[in-house]
Amino acid sequence: MAKLIMNRRGLLKGGVAAGAGLAAPSFFVRPSWAQTENYLNAPTGGTVTLGFNVPQTGPYADEGADELRAYQLAVEHLNGEGDGGMLNTFSSKELQGNGVNGKKVVFVTGDTQTKSDAARASAKRMIEKDGAIMITGGSSSGVAVAVQGLCQEMGVIFMAGLTHSNDTTGKDKKANGFRHFFDAYMSAAALAPVLKEEYGTDRRAYHLTADYTWGWTQEESIAAATEALGWETVAKVRTPLGAADYSQYLTPVINSGADVLVLNHYGRDMVNSLSQAVQFGMKSKQVNGKNFEIIVPLYSELMAQGAGEAVKGILGSANWDWKLDNAGTAAFTKSFGQKYGFPPSQAAQTCYVQALLYADAAQRAGTFNPCGIVEALEGFEFDGLGNGPTLYRAADHQCFKSVLVVRGKENPENQYDLLEIVKVVPAEQVTYSPDNPMFAGGNLGTCNPGA
Amino acid sequence: MRGSSASGRYDGLLFAGFAIATLLAPLLLAPFGAGYPDLLQRFAIYGIFAIGFNILFGLTGYLSFGHAAFLGVGSYAAVWMFKLLSMNVIPAILLAVLAAGLFSLLVGFVSLRRSGIYFSILTLAFAQMSYNLAYSVLTPITNGETGLKVELSDPRIFGGPAGGGLPVPEIFGVDMHTTTDVALFGFNLQLNVGFYVCAAFLIAAFYLSMRIFRSPFGMTLKAIKSNQNRLNYTGINTRPYALTAFVISGMYAGLAGGLLACTDPLAGAERMQWTASGEVVLMTILGGAGTLFGPVLGAIVIKYAENIFSSFNKAEISSFYSFLPDGLRDAMTSMTAAFVGDGWQLTLGVLFMLAVIFLPGGLMEGLRRLAFWRRPGGEPEETAARRPAE
């Protein structure tokens, strides 16, 4: 009995020591709090802290891990380590690889868990405790909108990661928030001409849609674009987020007379719904005398890896692909591949670019003051970051650039070569006016420097 | 049980200690890297949530797996108050508590017809139903996955939006965000209005819980836990007592939810997910169910793990082990990295397992044993026996 107590005592002591040890690093690296300049978390020492808020646990953890890899690479390049990646191809030559505004770039990380609450908590922690001057990352539109709102309230810049909903730079746009990734409207605008070419103008489409902000805006965008081609929308069915079994939603499709199935799903949902649709024999079916087709408007390499054989021949759109033929893409793919041993995903690219764009804006503005950054980014035109000539539009803080239409490859050479690029749709074709009804109802407000 | 005078003195000391510790939290927790406003607010808010849950679970033994639903209802109610009435937190909190109270009355009335595992399943079902409703048919009220937020276009009766930015919650003209920095003992203390509002509610919640624990009503609840049948046979209808406890703990959850919305005016459906309900059960059990302070301690430990352990990345761990030779350093880094960063849930799981196996009474039992271990010849059980019987 006495011996048992001894063990427990030892255990408790060990636990206390371990706890203190774990807490110690955060204690020693506490940032300086003095605020000499008139904005929140103005860096005073020799370093500037960026906050990388990505999903490390939960359904989008794969995307989050790839985003974090990209951010670490970006920090290395900004500080002049490694081969410099896209800094060499970037049209703006302000960044010299000696940090930003003479300060070394350091970073802190947080786990969004793909939940708005957790994402806001980790963002707040990075702002309040670690003194982060900017928050970036995320892999869901719900989280992006929530964190963007928080950054606007607190007065730091938010550089959105992977978020595809129209709302992020539409009705929920904020002065302190910027998005490089494309949106659902652009997907629809890019896909429509290809769909017309491949499948004709007389089609009957059936939508299965993830039941949240991103799903709704994508369904709305795709339905509008295909109806303009002359297609008929048979039904729009909402499916709960994270459903594992789609058979109850797929059975009615077969008897509906539809000959195209549009899957407005993402991540694991898309992997499940597409795999099950293929198992139902939909790819080899004939309806109304035509081949039955499936469309996945938002594609990603990670999803294609998950769905395996099922993606063959399926059309969709993407923001970027490592197989693109331009100098920026080649430079980024090379340095990412050298460091991690495999090509980057589009989530990695958008996050890397966002980090570089922020750093460049701070360098050009000569300050980390959010209002200075906003001014530097608004209406900024650049090239050499993998997407061709790009504009950060002032009216809604959305990037306008070319969009890729991609198709699942029939004979992939390796596990990273699952998508082939069908068409690179130029920016003019996917540009919309800021008062487009799908983006209406929002207001950027004014930039908030937080102090 | 202690005699009334001894118990009164003990309670007075405990309460005074608790109140002082709460008010000094920015100083006490600064050395652990937890002295920043958002986390302090979370400690206080989840402390309230767990104290309320403990009134139900710790006293009556009814294990509810759906308490997050009341938290969510409280949050939604508070944000609606911000959108429609004013940015003052007081009406928001009042409506949050009221709404959660009414909802828990409904859920409790149905669920308490059963006990044990059936009760747990019923509450779980209600919470999951609320969660799914918030995501689907109730979207006009809850704004679905995006979450309910304060917008520029809200038709607020008192005080429109200030300038071009979003209005923030305030208490009689003072923004909840307001933070005063004070340098003390080499730490920069962030004294935040939002935290002190939460702290005031936490102290009040703790006091109320203490009074309930010591009251005849509390005794009846404990009797329900130890033997409900015997109470029934002696002619006492236990259901109104259990229902009262359920509604009180639901109102505590509503208060916590309202405060969450006050410190950060956004309410998301995931606040009602079953994992959130499970979290408060973990907090209570980890800290010590049925003890006064235990649930608060559990809430602090879990929120600390979630917010601080998850923030360590490999570079930080590596610099922490910088005194070791390279090979050993890498080994230690990769070993430690499994338990922090994205592995923080693993740490929490191990901690919870250890607590349940070695300290069935939770961390409070651990503290008690430590206290008695320092006194020669003192085993907790013996000391308990020496206390005067009630």
Side-chain angles (χ1 to χ4, degrees), chain B residues 142-175:
Chain B
T142 61
N143 203 16
E145 203 241 24
T146 315
L148 190 65
K149 317 183 287 289
V150 176
E151 312 266 2
L152 284 171
S153 55
D154 289 333
R156 200 168 297 109
I157 298 175
F158 300 111
L166 284 175
V168 290
E170 41 93 20
I171 179 160
F172 304 116
V174 185
D175 278 2

Side-chain angles (χ1 to χ4, degrees), chain A residues 8-9 117 120 125 128, chain B residues 36 38 264 271 369 373:
Chain A
R8 186 191 306 128
R9 199 181 298 163
D117 262 0
R120 278 171 83 108
R125 193 248 314 148
E128 291 180 346
Chain B
Y36 64 100
D38 181 58
D264 186 1
R271 233 168 240 186
R369 285 192 192 176
W373 164 61

Side-chain angles (χ1 to χ4, degrees), chain A residues 152-165:
Chain A
Q152 176 72 41
E153 273 167 39
M154 297 197 73
V156 299
I157 291 288
F158 175 65
M159 302 295 280
L162 201 145
T163 158
H164 186 249
S165 169

Side-chain angles (χ1 to χ4, degrees), chain A residues 1 4-6 8-9 11-13 16 18-30 32-35 56-58 60 68 72 107-111 113-118 120-122 124-130 140-143 145-147 149-150 152-154 167 171-172 174 211-214 216 240-241 441-446, chain B residues 30-39 41-42 46 132 135-136 139 143-147 149-153 163-169 177 179 181 187-190 192 260 263-268 270-271 273 275 304 306-313 315-317 319-320 336 340-345 347 354 358-359 366 369-370 373 379:
Chain A
M1 187 63 200
L4 181 75
I5 294 170
M6 284 297 288
R8 186 191 306 128
R9 199 181 298 163
L11 187 85
L12 279 168
K13 277 194 219 158
V16 169
L22 286 169
S26 74
F27 165 58
F28 290 121
V29 299
R30 276 180 69 84
S32 151
W33 283 100
Q35 292 177 8
Q56 297 178 26
T57 53
Y60 299 151
L68 204 52
Q72 284 167 347
F107 65 91
V108 288
T109 56
D111 181 7
Q113 305 176 33
T114 314
K115 293 178 185 166
S116 304
D117 262 0
R120 278 171 83 108
S122 59
K124 269 187 158 180
R125 193 248 314 148
M126 292 191 278
I127 298 167
E128 291 180 346
K129 172 168 171 279
D130 304 317
S140 145
S141 290
V143 166
V145 167
V147 176
L150 175 87
Q152 176 72 41
E153 273 167 39
M154 297 197 73
D167 291 348
K171 80 176 176 54
D172 293 312
K174 293 282 181 288
D211 196 2
Y212 75 99
T213 168
W214 166 71
W216 307 332
L241 201 62
N443 185 350
L444 279 178
T446 50
Chain B
F32 301 100
Y36 64 100
D38 181 58
L39 189 54
Q41 286 163 4
R42 254 160 234 278
Y46 283 93
N132 282 324
Y135 253 135
S136 51
T139 302
N143 203 16
E145 203 241 24
T146 315
K149 317 183 287 289
V150 176
E151 312 266 2
L152 284 171
S153 55
L166 284 175
V168 290
H177 284 311
T179 303
D181 289 358
F187 295 111
N188 192 333
L189 307 184
Q190 296 174 284
N192 175 274
L260 272 181
T263 54
D264 186 1
L266 173 125
E270 71 265 10
R271 233 168 240 186
Q273 218 180 353
T275 49
Y304 186 78
E306 182 181 332
N307 286 279
I308 303 294
F309 285 2
S310 73
S311 72
F312 294 130
N313 50 47
E316 284 178 35
I317 303 163
S319 68
F320 175 64
T336 317
V340 296
D342 50 11
W344 63 271
Q345 282 161 325
T347 315
L354 291 176
F358 296 105
L359 300 166
R369 285 192 192 176
L370 269 178
W373 164 61
E379 276 291 304

Side-chain angles (χ1 to χ4, degrees), chain A residues 46 82 86 98 108 130 161 184 237 256 274 299 308-309 392 400 426:
Chain A
M86 278 202 252
N98 57 353
V108 288
D130 304 317
V237 176
S256 67
L274 179 61
Y299 245 136
E309 293 281 303
Y392 239 129
F400 288 86

